[in-house]
Amino acid sequence: MTDASRIIPARIGDDLPRIDVIGLANTRRIMHAERHNDGGRMPMFIPTAAWTALLERHCMGEATAARPRLAPSRVMEGLERALGRIMTQIIRHDVEHDEPLHPVYGVTSDLFDSHEAPVDIRMVVDRTTGVACMLAGPPADIAALGLDAAGQDKK
């Protein structure tokens, strides 16, 4: 399967909040959740606190047969694949229902927790560049970013 056959065009809703994604990244409150992006998909970010927790869970402590220690690059590979699958499912659902992307989604996953737990997904637009981005993380980490109270502009 080629990359072109996996592209699912999404409509960007007028209600996506415009926030300072670059500022959040430059102050290290969020970080890229992907190694490479050729522009064929929406940039993905997670709160830095979520990345720290992933590293603690997968890269530190005693290794066991059931839970080997991983290199951070392996954790990033898994994170990128998992978030890519989540984004694909969200976009596929909205396209099938002829809906634009919504600002907020909730999914259940073991991505950030060893058990099935809620994951907040926020679709936002960087207010400087106009690029649509996905933010994903545990609800408390997303809430700590202050996105709902930041006085975001609408498109």
Side-chain angles (χ1 to χ4, degrees):
M1 180 185 283
T2 66
D3 285 339
S5 65
R6 294 186 304 194
I7 293 174
I8 303 169
R11 288 192 348 241
I12 305 300
D14 290 337
D15 59 344
L16 295 188
R18 296 179 76 80
I19 66 167
D20 187 6
V21 174
I22 293 172
L24 289 170
N26 285 341
T27 58
R28 297 188 175 150
R29 296 185 65 211
I30 62 172
M31 58 170 282
H32 272 104
E34 54 197 344
R35 295 162 295 153
H36 307 287
N37 188 335
D38 63 4
R41 71 170 176 231
M42 186 180 300
M44 301 181 294
F45 295 87
I46 64 170
T48 301
W51 176 245
T52 300
L54 285 173
L55 292 179
E56 288 171 357
R57 187 166 120 206
H58 295 292
C59 304
M60 298 174 190
E62 291 297 318
T64 65
R67 189 173 169 248
R69 286 176 62 183
L70 301 174
S73 61
R74 293 285 310 271
V75 176
M76 180 58 78
E77 289 172 19
L79 175 64
E80 184 176 25
R81 282 193 310 270
L83 289 178
R85 285 192 301 269
I86 290 170
M87 185 183 342
T88 297
Q89 291 304 315
I90 287 170
I91 292 172
R92 185 172 285 139
H93 174 271
D94 286 352
V95 166
E96 287 173 0
H97 292 88
D98 195 29
E99 296 179 9
L101 291 176
H102 300 284
V104 178
Y105 296 88
V107 298
T108 301
S109 172
D110 64 355
L111 178 59
F112 295 106
D113 194 316
S114 59
H115 300 83
E116 295 289 313
V119 175
D120 278 357
I121 308 291
R122 303 294 178 103
M123 299 296 183
V124 299
V125 175
D126 179 66
R127 72 168 51 123
T128 303
T129 65
V131 173
C133 304
M134 179 179 112
L135 295 173
D141 293 349
I142 295 292
L145 296 174
L147 301 177
D148 295 326
Q152 309 100 355
D153 302 322
K154 299 281 179 160
K155 220 175 179 184

